Amino acid sequence: MSRSIAGFDFGTSNCAVGIMQGKQAQLVKLPEHGNYMPSTLFAPQSEMICGWLYQQLDAQDKAQAFQQARGQQLSASLRALKELKLDGYDEHLSFGQQALKEYLVDPADCYYVRSPKSFLGASGIRERQQQQFEDIAAAMMWHISQQVKQSGQAELAKVVIGRPVNFQGLNSEVSNQQAISILSNAARFVGFEQVEFLYEPMAAGLSYQQQLQQEQRVLVIDIGGGTSDVSMLIMGPDYLATRDHQELVLGYNGERIGGNDFDIALNFETLMPSLGAKLKLASGQPMPIKPFWDAAAINDFPAQTRFYEKDTRLLLQRLLKEPQLSPLKGLLRLSDERQTYQLSACAEQAKIALSEAQTSTVDLSYLIEQLQVDVTQEAYQQAAERLLNSIATLSDDVIAQAGCQPEAIFLTGGSANSPMIKNFLAKRYQAPLISGDNFGSVTSGLTLWADNIFE
């Protein structure tokens, strides 16, 4: 079988693959997902992921590297798969929208991961957790690579993968090394022959510069699902082919702020109060806020772990002895039925609705009978203020690094559609605001770069 060169956007919110068609980068339409696969994975049990991946690789004689890396852990996972079958459970993994559908059938009895990229740079993870992240990333890469083959394209071989400037983590350099190691190992396990990484805002900029007739200094602001990356780039006709891309970077910075964080902020500030977040204890003390934040922070692995721990449940049960704190029953139910992702999805839908409407009504009757919460644009603006200012701080830092003002601002990423974000940036910076393909710019740029560097 022929082997292909591709750009691979392993995104926080969505994954996509691009290949060259003539001189144009084209996104591959994945049979089960379309151009974009939501970055989600469902498994009946977490223990089965390793064994499932091995079985897929082994069926195509590609399991050697993975088998050597996992050893006894693989044996335990294969036993777990066998037990699942005996107990009448499905033995498959699901991805994208199908993963969410299966999670919602019984959230308390499954393993569901949304935006695994958010966790790759997390501080303090143990070796076993890192291996689990490798297995999740590899399972998603494997599924997408098989989707590419089913679409009629050649098997992926030489791939450029996008990366943020900084992954999440307290020590950015250590976090970046950890995340790149996870992605590199995952790519090796699934059989990619060559892998290179390119900063995502640079990739987005590469797509835009193809349109230019003369040199420009462009501030690329890429607001993705989990990260925001800002770069000041020199762009111009044929610069991709004729100039070293590192020489074209005048400044860059990145932080773990993205669409997920806007969902979290809206959730925490406008939905959690209906579950008791702003109530007072009988002693007059404010309600402990940590359980509410941990429940909302779906992109924070330690926070989600804490929320589902026994200590949090005991705290909520103790607080519920005070009659005026009865709304906490909704938060306790959120924990019992493991529905933090569902609540976050409600916040995300409200955020999308508020792009066009002044008010959005969120149905929380699955937590408290007949509970409906009205969220206004003004409340969302207040909830998002800190995040908007953080994006502005990133942009100001990059402008200072570059020592010049941008001649244009190229806005991309899944959250770039937000009128609130566009209006904020337009008021702050006196430069033309250009919107690219908010989801496809990075993938197209990665594909252009892959075509440039690989033979």
Side-chain angles (χ1 to χ4, degrees), residues 382-403:
Q382 292 174 354
E385 184 176 3
R386 178 185 62 83
L387 297 171
L388 291 171
N389 288 333
S390 295
I391 292 172
T393 298
L394 284 178
S395 302
D396 290 346
D397 176 67
V398 170
I399 291 171
Q401 288 180 42

Side-chain angles (χ1 to χ4, degrees), residues 291 294 306-317:
D294 287 347
R306 282 194 304 269
F307 179 67
Y308 288 121
E309 283 177 345
K310 182 179 179 181
D311 286 350
T312 301
R313 178 181 175 79
L314 292 175
L315 171 64
L316 296 178
Q317 289 175 330

Side-chain angles (χ1 to χ4, degrees), residues 34-162:
N35 288 340
Y36 306 99
M37 184 190 88
S39 300
T40 56
L41 174 148
F42 167 91
Q45 291 181 0
S46 62
E47 295 81 5
M48 67 171 283
I49 297 174
C50 175
W52 178 91
L53 179 58
Y54 168 76
Q55 289 180 341
Q56 311 312 305
L57 295 170
D58 189 51
Q60 296 189 18
D61 296 321
K62 295 181 178 181
Q64 183 176 359
F66 185 68
Q67 185 176 15
Q68 290 177 345
R70 290 297 178 263
Q72 293 182 348
Q73 177 187 325
L74 175 57
S75 299
S77 183
L78 290 171
R79 286 196 300 272
L81 266 176
K82 186 176 181 180
E83 290 170 2
L84 276 174
K85 184 176 182 179
L86 293 174
D87 291 340
Y89 285 87
D90 289 331
E91 305 165 74
H92 70 276
L93 302 187
S94 296
F95 306 86
Q97 290 292 347
Q98 185 61 32
L100 177 60
K101 289 179 182 177
E102 297 201 34
Y103 159 73
L104 292 175
V105 171
D106 188 0
D109 187 26
C110 68
Y111 183 78
Y112 176 74
V113 181
R114 176 183 174 186
S115 306
K117 185 178 178 181
S118 298
F119 304 138
L120 301 187
S123 302
I125 67 171
R126 300 183 298 274
E127 181 181 3
R128 176 64 194 97
Q129 288 176 306
Q130 179 165 332
Q131 291 177 345
Q132 186 174 29
F133 291 155
E134 289 176 358
D135 294 351
I136 291 168
M140 292 176 67
M141 289 182 183
W142 176 258
H143 173 74
I144 291 171
S145 69
Q146 297 307 297
Q147 287 283 293
V148 170
K149 287 169 64 176
Q150 289 176 30
S151 75
Q153 302 297 329
E155 186 172 2
L156 300 182
K158 300 177 181 181
V159 178
V160 172
I161 298 176

Side-chain angles (χ1 to χ4, degrees), residues 394-430:
L394 284 178
S395 302
D396 290 346
D397 176 67
V398 170
I399 291 171
Q401 288 180 42
C404 62
Q405 292 296 315
E407 297 170 274
I409 296 174
F410 181 72
L411 186 61
T412 187
S415 298
N417 275 325
S418 168
M420 179 182 66
I421 293 176
K422 287 183 178 180
N423 292 339
F424 176 83
L425 294 172
K427 289 179 181 178
R428 187 176 183 92
Y429 301 106
Q430 302 303 310

Side-chain angles (χ1 to χ4, degrees), residues 334-364:
L334 188 75
S335 172
D336 288 344
E337 301 192 8
R338 304 185 75 85
Q339 291 180 312
T340 54
Y341 284 109
Q342 185 170 345
L343 184 60
S344 180
C346 290
E348 181 182 20
Q349 290 305 310
K351 178 188 73 175
I352 294 169
L354 291 171
S355 294
E356 299 179 352
Q358 290 293 319
T359 304
S360 176
T361 299
V362 180
D363 180 7
L364 297 183

Side-chain angles (χ1 to χ4, degrees), residues 251-278:
Y252 59 81
N253 203 345
E255 192 173 337
R256 194 203 56 77
I257 300 169
N260 288 343
D261 295 280
F262 285 89
D263 300 342
I264 290 167
L266 188 148
N267 185 353
F268 182 72
E269 296 291 347
T270 68
L271 302 185
M272 287 299 177
S274 66
L275 304 181
K278 295 185 178 180

